[in-house]
Amino acid sequence: RFFMGMPSIGIYSYELYKEYQVEDIIRIGSAGSYDAELEIFDVVLAESAWSESSYGKTQNGDISEFRYPSIFLNEKLKATAELKKINLKVEKIHSSDVFYRENNVDNYLAFRKKHDVKCVEMESFALFHNAQVLNKSAACLLTISDSFVSLKETTAKERQDSFTNMIEIALEVNL
């Protein structure tokens, strides 16, 4: 399935966990880098997701700004990456509700400084929240598709053909 944003993954993950008794969800997707050390095509495993989103507050009153993946799933994903000899960078990530920001609000530099987040995507916070609420497991693997620092971007063809490392890790993880 293709998800875009927290409301979409929020609905799908909640229903998969609650209605279909799914125990583990591994999200894979693209991210924009906030840090020069995260380059195009790097694979990132989320150690936490920070968000300014109201998703948790609206869903169950939780106002925490950070959500966390399953330690068990993350350890399994790290082990799989190591076996496959794929370099995996474990980082704090930013889950944003907004793709385009105006100049009068905080930008990636402020987020990186205030919250120590290294890249941005749009779904993991809601996924991790739902997993926590329903006592399930979730993890997130990302491939860096563009950089706010170097301004490099991948093409649609590169994203189609070159984001295979995260997919291989996710498909070959031994649960």
Side-chain angles (χ1 to χ4, degrees), residues 74-89:
N74 270 16
E75 291 304 317
K76 292 286 192 174
L77 290 163
K78 286 185 225 176
T80 302
E82 189 173 318
L83 284 172
K84 297 189 68 50
K85 297 185 181 356
I86 296 172
N87 185 26
L88 192 62
K89 298 186 177 191

Side-chain angles (χ1 to χ4, degrees), residues 6 34 45-57 60-70 90-96 110-121 123-133:
M6 285 187 251
Y34 287 170
L45 177 64
E47 75 174 32
S48 62
W50 169 79
S51 187
E52 68 273 54
S53 174
S54 62
Y55 184 89
K57 180 181 178 187
N60 76 339
D62 188 336
I63 59 169
S64 304
E65 290 184 339
F66 277 92
R67 293 292 186 277
Y68 300 90
S70 161
V90 181
E91 303 290 354
K92 293 178 185 174
I93 67 170
H94 173 203
S95 288
S96 181
F111 299 143
R112 188 179 70 195
K113 184 177 180 180
K114 287 181 192 175
H115 306 288
D116 194 32
V117 290
K118 305 294 182 175
C119 62
V120 62
E121 53 82 69
E123 290 82 20
S124 295
F125 184 87
L127 173 62
F128 296 167
H129 175 83
N130 283 349
Q132 178 185 353
V133 165

Side-chain angles (χ1 to χ4, degrees), residues 8-53:
S8 293
I9 200 166
I11 293 166
Y12 286 115
S13 65
Y14 193 92
E15 290 177 356
L16 286 169
Y17 287 139
K18 187 85 170 172
E19 305 300 324
Y20 296 95
Q21 293 73 51
V22 169
E23 294 296 320
D24 307 307
I25 296 176
I26 300 169
R27 170 185 153 33
I28 59 171
S30 61
S33 174
Y34 287 170
D35 193 283
E37 292 181 18
L38 284 183
E39 297 177 359
I40 302 298
F41 303 113
D42 281 350
V43 180
V44 175
L45 177 64
E47 75 174 32
S48 62
W50 169 79
S51 187
E52 68 273 54
S53 174

Side-chain angles (χ1 to χ4, degrees), residues 137-153:
S137 296
C140 175
L141 285 168
L142 302 165
T143 298
I144 300 299
S145 60
D146 57 284
S147 173
F148 287 78
V149 181
S150 71
L151 304 181
K152 291 180 183 174
E153 298 179 346

